[in-house]
DNA sequence: ATGAAAGCGCTAACAG
DNA sequence: CTGTTAGCGCTTTCAT
């Protein structure tokens, strides 16, 4: 067994096929006919390629300025975190499907993870993402400086999840929480609910704003009062107060809040949806809640589609946005108000 | 917005800092002290780096360094097939974890998929895998010609799942089905079973042989007769025959067989495990069966570990094998024989 | 129709 | 201690 045979270079192929390196380059890039290289020569080159197991070195290729049909996937945390196993999975499925369709390979940036489990785009001031033609970014990221820098450098990327960084144009695909939330309020109103509360944590992040807006719009549509609660403590006392206030349905921003709510209800001998309809707006996984369905697969596909479009059109401003419809919650924990 | 400002190169930094390019290289690579560059110069360089937003071009770096710290992941089918969503998932998790640990990025080869959903290593005679320093291969692959060729080319790869190709040395990590099967037989014997059948499909693939061997060994250990059934039709008639023959426990090679068996039992008014203990040896997903647990995560991790070892040690023959222990089945469908 | 040669941005010898 | 230089493997004019 010869073992570590050196990787074949273009020059080797050229030598074996008895042609020049330029010819090899033309052939492997499918510019054979275009450049007017005779079919026979093409075949000779391909035979040599086959014999040597030649594959173009992507580093050299992209150094020379051409694309390497590599799309990066960068997550700001471990891509397969143990605790929320399938959060990224569906996104990835969509990303992969579209990559297959568009003939791209995917680079999962794993090397960028530090000891905290955080992944940074820039390490030692270097941008590892630059290895890929463009990248899909996803995950909850606290600081936006990396994003801003990436955009400033003109690196093509699409963020999964609506994202704005002041003074920067960022392309993203997002889920249309606003419309979905609005519709949910409408549905609750149609069921007879007159006082629908909205509960959210004290940590007011950008991504929450559109859900609030949707809630407000929904209330306006149905002529309902806006009952916003910003809290991280949904205890039995809160339930008592809400009950006294005539609240019969609650939109919970996230799953932990909803869990607290259900526990608090239980402590008062109540249950959802009999005594209170409960809708969770964002869940990590598809679970037993009445929750909005995040179109993860579609978002992944959409991100790749947008990215390849950006890569194709060279003059794109890179501030494209695409909102995908959320699935509406099933009736699991939704019912008519207690009369 | 200046927009497409050209990316700063090392030369630009050198010019601004008034030093040579080599100095810049040393500084950005942290070889400053080591090379004995005065602190003041280092600071001057870093300041220039900051001002220009310089980031080293990774393509140039890896071109220079021969390796690009990219590990390939090649599956012979769609990596995220819709019908068996989480079959590859756990392997991938393990692969990613180890890649993070070893500082490698991962390339998911998606571009190689043809219209049938098959993925080939070689397309147009080109080996796309060569893009990565080495690759992990997984999935059920019918033909071994690609594998043989890959090995002949000296491309470093590790196969997940035991694999032998005549005349070729292939490195793999596998699950130790033999030991596990043997232990299962032992456990059944300990429960009092005297006639344990082994049922397998007519398609005798290599991967099945070690389970058979384990079964035989287990029977020998316990002094039980070998009752091998090769069939794809586990109908009620088979159940009658088995019953008449005193069979009280069945090892089913795969899940479809087990399903047939349970259905056939039901048709005769019997159920598992009361009337018949049923163990499935290989399942696609962790389901309600008493089945061997394939150590997918560990196999993924092990494959990457083996691969990086092969890449590190330049003289490796590339025929390393590693067997990982299977988890034993829970008692879901296992019980003592009907007395 | 094919070949020769010049870089892409970086690192590592080797000079100075 | 710092600068000069020679490629890494590829694509792309420009000659032939």
């Amino acid at each position: 067994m010869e073992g570590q045979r050196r990787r074949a270079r273009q020059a080797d192929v050229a030598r074996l096929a008895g042609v020049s390196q330029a010819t090899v380059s033309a052939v492997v890039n499918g510019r054979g006919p275009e450049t007017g290289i005779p079919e026979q020569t093409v075949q000779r080159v391909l035979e040599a390629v086959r014999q040597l197991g030649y594959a173009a070195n992507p580093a050299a290729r992209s150094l020379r300025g051409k694309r390497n049909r590599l799309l990066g996937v960068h997550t700001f945390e471990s891509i397969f975190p143990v605790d929320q196993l399938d959060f990224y999975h569906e996104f990835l499925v969509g990303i992969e499907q579209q990559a297959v369709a568009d003939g791209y390979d995917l680079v999962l940036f794993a090397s960028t993870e530090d000891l905290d489990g955080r992944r940074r785009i820039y390490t030692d001031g270097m941008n590892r993402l630059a290895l890929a033609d463009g990248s899909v970014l996803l995950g909850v990221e606290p600081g936006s400086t990396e994003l801003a820098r990436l955009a400033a450098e003109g690196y093509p990327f699409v963020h999964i999840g609506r994202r704005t960084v002041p003074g920067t144009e960022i392309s993203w695909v997002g889920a249309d929480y606003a419309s979905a939330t609005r519709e949910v309020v409408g549905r609750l109103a149609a069921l007879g609910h007159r006082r629908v509360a909205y509960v959210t944590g004290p940590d007011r992040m950008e991504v929450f704003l559109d859900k609030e807006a949707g809630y407000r719009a929904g209330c306006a549509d149905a002529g309902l009062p806006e009952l916003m609660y910003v809290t991280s403590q949904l205890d039995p006392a809160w339930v008592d107060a809400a009950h006294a206030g005539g609240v019969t349905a609650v939109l919970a921003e996230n799953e932990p809040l909803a869990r607290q709510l259900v526990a608090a209800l239980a402590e008062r001998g109540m249950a959802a949806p009999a005594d209170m309809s409960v809708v969770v707006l964002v869940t990590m996984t598809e679970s037993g809640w009445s929750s909005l369905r995040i179109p993860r697969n579609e978002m992944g596909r959409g991100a790749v589609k947008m990215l390849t479009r950006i890569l194709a059109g060279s003059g794109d401003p890179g501030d494209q946005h695409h909102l995908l419809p959320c699935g509406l919650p099933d009736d699991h924990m939704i019912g008519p108000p207690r009369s």
Side-chain angles (χ1 to χ4, degrees), chain A:
Chain A
M1 181 101 283
E2 63 253 56
Q4 284 311 76
R5 190 173 53 193
R6 205 199 40 186
R7 230 175 100 158
R9 295 156 306 166
Q10 214 175 56
D12 302 326
V13 178
R15 205 169 310 121
L16 204 163
V19 299
S20 84
Q21 224 189 107
T23 308
V24 177
S25 178
V27 169
V28 299
N29 288 315
R31 286 185 291 104
E34 184 186 321
T35 324
I37 294 174
E39 183 55 24
Q40 205 192 356
T41 310
V42 170
Q43 286 312 323
R44 201 145 29 91
V45 171
L46 287 179
E47 176 53 31
V49 164
R50 210 162 297 130
Q51 262 183 50
L52 295 165
Y54 169 78
N57 180 331
R61 256 199 184 158
S62 57
L63 177 55
R64 194 62 186 76
K66 234 197 119 180
R67 302 260 160 89
N68 48 27
R69 294 205 83 73
L70 244 32
L71 256 34
V73 177
H74 176 266
T75 58
F76 295 98
E77 307 93 24
S78 272
I79 202 165
F80 294 123
V82 281
D83 54 333
Q84 40 195 33
L85 212 62
D86 47 5
F87 178 65
Y88 287 121
H89 189 257
E90 270 301 303
F91 288 119
L92 229 36
V93 171
I95 290 172
E96 221 241 356
Q97 288 173 346
Q98 193 60 39
V100 165
D102 293 346
Y104 277 90
D105 289 320
L106 255 25
V107 181
L108 302 189
F109 290 104
S111 73
T112 53
E113 183 166 323
D114 61 22
L115 301 94
D116 308 350
R118 295 216 80 67
R119 297 187 177 190
R120 346 198 98 272
I121 296 176
Y122 295 93
T123 48
D124 297 329
M126 316 213 357
N127 171 10
R128 175 80 178 160
L129 266 54
L131 193 128
D133 295 343
S135 289
V136 172
L137 271 45
L138 67 162
V140 276
E141 191 238 8
S144 43
T145 58
E146 291 203 306
L147 238 44
R149 182 165 167 198
L150 202 58
E153 278 176 11
Y155 181 82
F157 70 93
V158 172
H159 193 271
I160 290 192
R162 155 179 282 175
R163 195 69 205 263
T164 64
V165 175
T168 311
E169 301 288 6
I170 287 183
S171 294
W172 50 256
V173 296
D176 190 357
Y177 291 116
S179 303
T181 305
R182 182 178 190 166
E183 286 187 56
V184 167
V185 175
R187 196 149 114 194
L188 290 167
L191 280 170
H193 293 273
R194 307 316 309 162
R195 300 184 71 81
V196 177
Y198 185 98
V199 185
T200 179
D203 188 9
R204 318 294 308 119
M205 277 170 62
E206 173 195 355
V207 67
F208 300 156
L209 300 181
D210 50 350
K211 272 160 253 159
E212 273 183 44
Y215 168 70
R216 294 212 161 85
C219 288
D221 290 346
L224 266 40
E226 291 177 13
L227 304 167
M228 291 272 312
Y229 293 88
V230 178
T231 177
S232 57
Q233 267 314 104
L234 278 189
D235 47 23
W238 187 92
V239 169
D240 294 336
H243 215 254
V247 171
T248 56
V250 174
L251 305 192
E253 158 71 41
N254 55 50
E255 209 170 321
L257 282 173
R259 256 195 300 269
Q260 286 182 37
L261 175 56
V262 168
L265 283 170
E267 274 201 53
R268 288 294 184 257
M270 299 193 257
D275 306 289
M276 183 82 84
S277 288
V278 178
V279 176
V280 187
L281 296 184
V282 179
T283 55
M284 287 289 108
T285 64
E286 319 291 330
S287 43
W289 301 101
S290 284
S291 69
L292 262 35
R293 195 190 67 85
I294 304 172
R296 295 195 171 88
N297 184 294
E298 295 81 349
M299 289 167 80
R301 283 224 300 272
V304 169
K305 229 181 282 184
M306 182 180 286
L307 186 55
T308 55
R309 206 154 12 86
I310 289 176
L311 291 176
S314 45
D316 264 312
D319 65 328
Q320 311 190 8
H321 312 304
H322 188 33
L323 230 37
L324 291 132
C326 280
L328 293 181
D330 56 28
D331 291 337
H332 220 286
M333 297 188 93
I334 297 180
R338 195 169 205 72
S339 51

